[in-house]
Amino acid sequence: MIEQTKRILSDLIAFPTVSADSNLEMIAYLASRLQDCGAQVDILADESGKKANLFATLGPLCDGGIVLSGHSDVVPVTDQDWASDPFALLERNGRLYGRGSCDMKGFIAATLAMAPVFAQRIRNRPLHFAFTYDEETGCFGASHLARTLIERALKPSLAIIGEPTSMGIVEGHKGCHEYSTRFQGLEGHGSSPDLGVNAVEYAVRYVSRLMELRDHLKTMAPENSRFDPPCTTLNIGALNGGTVHNVIASKAQVDWEMRPVQAGDAEFVKEAMKTYCNDVLLPAMHAVHPSASIETEVIGEVAGLTPTDNNEALRIVAGLTGANSASVVPFGTEAGIFQAIGMDVVVCGPGSIDQAHKADEYLEIDQLAQCLTMLDRLGTELSDHSGC
């Protein structure tokens, strides 16, 4: 089975599914392999028609199923110094090198390799395969899929998200909210700053207020928080604006993110920034130029995964892997989106997050073997299930 999985992984890595590009060829490949196993397959295109989710089912199409989920997109390789072709699988010293090998085409390859086995073993509990687009840029594919499941009134009971966790079980992670805030001021000569509205100056004041809130969020960390750091974090990713030294900057943009530990923290930050803009920044800007503006675009607001006391996914995966504990992590996944529509969810997959997004990304073959063992045991679990 491991050799078959490596061959499938080689095929998957050869699809350069960088988030900016189409994933349709890879989705068609996945669909074909699953259809060959007798799966009911739906390809769900986005509005552009250039990207799609795949949702496939083995067994009866009813509620209570198990979802195996992975994202098809990968991060760019631009400006990374790879020792080999990032889109050609290279096996060396017990490792499988290639973009997406651990994040997260290794898990997808393992599920495809096991699909014929699942097809023979499944009785009355459905097994779903959910492969999404644009996880790396805001989990847009998973949000699309969640809406589709709601519209179809289909309610799987649990999901296993195969992000790289070194096959450990993750039961919680922070959310990830990303924003771009744009400032429109009034251009003028640098020798007369009072006659213009310097968008860069107001962007700097905006950032300063965010940093004040970042310090305050440290005091709002939940008691006994398991996260590191324990509080909601804020980060300024970029500040761009202006043209030359002696011109008042008319435009500026701040790209920023926060990683909420709890939903209330996100609302606190957004409301505080709205108040600061409306009560402080905009009145000062409008006093000089009534058409000045501050607008914030929501790039993505991805829910965190909240640990729960009664989690069927945790119980099942712990039984499959032999793990006796579960952790929380600082990085985000699509798991919270599935949890928000009523599923029990854990994150568990082959490979280390430390290798993700880097040059010479790799997946340990031993990790892939452990994943196949888990999935094989899942097949046995499904064969013992008595009904929907």
Side-chain angles (χ1 to χ4, degrees):
M1 188 63 72
I2 190 69
E3 293 303 319
Q4 169 73 344
T5 307
K6 288 192 288 186
R7 286 192 291 270
I8 295 172
L9 179 56
S10 179
D11 291 342
L12 297 183
I13 287 174
F15 294 110
T17 51
V18 175
S19 301
D21 301 324
S22 174
N23 72 337
L24 293 182
E25 289 188 5
M26 177 173 162
I27 290 295
Y29 172 91
L30 299 173
S32 177
R33 294 198 71 106
L34 289 168
Q35 286 168 338
D36 287 346
C37 298
Q40 304 171 70
V41 177
D42 277 332
I43 295 176
L44 309 167
D46 72 347
E47 292 183 357
S48 74
K50 296 179 180 178
K51 297 180 181 180
N53 292 322
L54 181 148
F55 187 77
T57 302
L58 287 171
L61 194 61
C62 62
D63 293 345
I66 296 174
V67 176
L68 300 177
S69 180
H71 61 81
S72 64
D73 59 319
V74 297
V75 297
V77 297
T78 307
D79 298 327
Q80 291 186 338
D81 186 17
W82 283 71
S84 60
D85 182 348
F87 297 109
L89 181 70
L90 173 66
E91 181 175 346
R92 185 177 63 220
N93 299 327
R95 296 173 175 176
L96 301 169
Y97 290 86
R99 172 55 84 223
S101 55
C102 77
D103 186 21
M104 55 183 302
K105 292 181 177 180
F107 178 76
I108 295 175
T111 65
L112 283 186
M114 286 298 302
V117 177
F118 290 140
Q120 292 176 354
R121 295 182 183 175
I122 286 173
R123 296 294 179 265
N124 296 311
R125 186 173 197 178
L127 180 69
H128 307 290
F129 301 80
F131 303 135
T132 60
Y133 63 87
D134 284 358
E135 186 270 351
E136 298 289 3
T137 56
C139 296
F140 300 117
S143 296
H144 174 192
L145 178 59
R147 292 192 300 271
T148 300
L149 294 177
I150 292 171
E151 290 167 2
R152 296 183 178 183
L154 183 62
K155 298 179 180 179
S157 62
L158 67 94
I160 302 169
I161 314 299
E163 290 277 7
T165 64
S166 299
M167 292 306 297
I169 302 175
V170 169
E171 64 173 340
H173 63 68
K174 297 181 181 181
C176 183
H177 294 199
E178 297 182 344
Y179 307 94
S180 291
T181 301
R182 300 181 180 89
F183 300 79
Q184 178 64 56
L186 179 64
E187 193 172 71
H189 197 284
S191 64
S192 302
D194 292 343
L195 299 181
V197 176
N198 193 314
V200 170
E201 290 183 14
Y202 283 96
V204 168
R205 292 173 65 180
Y206 187 91
V207 168
S208 296
R209 178 59 178 145
L210 284 173
M211 294 302 92
E212 291 174 359
L213 293 175
R214 183 171 69 178
D215 289 338
H216 185 71
L217 286 167
K218 295 176 182 178
T219 70
M220 297 172 59
E223 192 173 342
N224 301 319
S225 172
R226 295 163 60 192
F227 290 102
D228 182 19
C231 60
T232 293
T233 58
L234 278 168
N235 179 65
I236 309 302
L239 195 166
N240 297 293
T243 52
V244 293
H245 298 74
N246 60 351
V247 174
I248 298 170
S250 64
K251 296 181 185 295
Q253 178 170 313
V254 177
D255 297 327
W256 59 285
E257 64 144 34
M258 59 177 158
R259 308 246 170 179
V261 171
Q262 48 199 355
D265 289 355
E267 296 308 312
F268 165 75
V269 170
K270 289 192 288 186
E271 189 60 32
M273 293 310 298
K274 179 181 178 181
T275 299
Y276 182 63
C277 289
N278 289 340
D279 294 354
V280 179
L281 298 185
L282 283 170
M285 296 168 75
H286 290 161
V288 178
H289 183 50
S291 296
S293 63
I294 302 173
E295 296 181 354
T296 294
E297 177 187 2
V298 178
I299 304 302
E301 292 183 330
V302 179
L305 176 62
T306 303
T308 59
D309 293 332
N310 185 20
N311 186 335
E312 184 191 8
L314 177 56
R315 290 196 302 273
I316 287 178
V317 176
L320 300 177
T321 62
N324 55 17
S325 64
S327 64
V328 299
V329 293
F331 62 84
T333 76
E334 297 170 328
I337 295 171
F338 292 101
Q339 186 180 57
I341 60 172
M343 296 186 215
D344 290 344
V345 187
V346 292
V347 184
C348 182
S352 169
I353 195 66
D354 292 339
Q355 305 307 323
H357 297 191
K358 295 180 179 178
D360 297 329
E361 177 184 345
Y362 67 82
L363 171 63
E364 298 276 0
I365 294 175
D366 178 64
Q367 286 279 305
L368 194 58
Q370 289 181 48
C371 182
L372 288 168
T373 298
M374 178 188 76
L375 294 174
D376 184 60
R377 291 171 179 168
L378 177 62
T380 301
E381 175 101 5
L382 287 165
S383 69
D384 292 338
H385 197 273
S386 60
C388 288

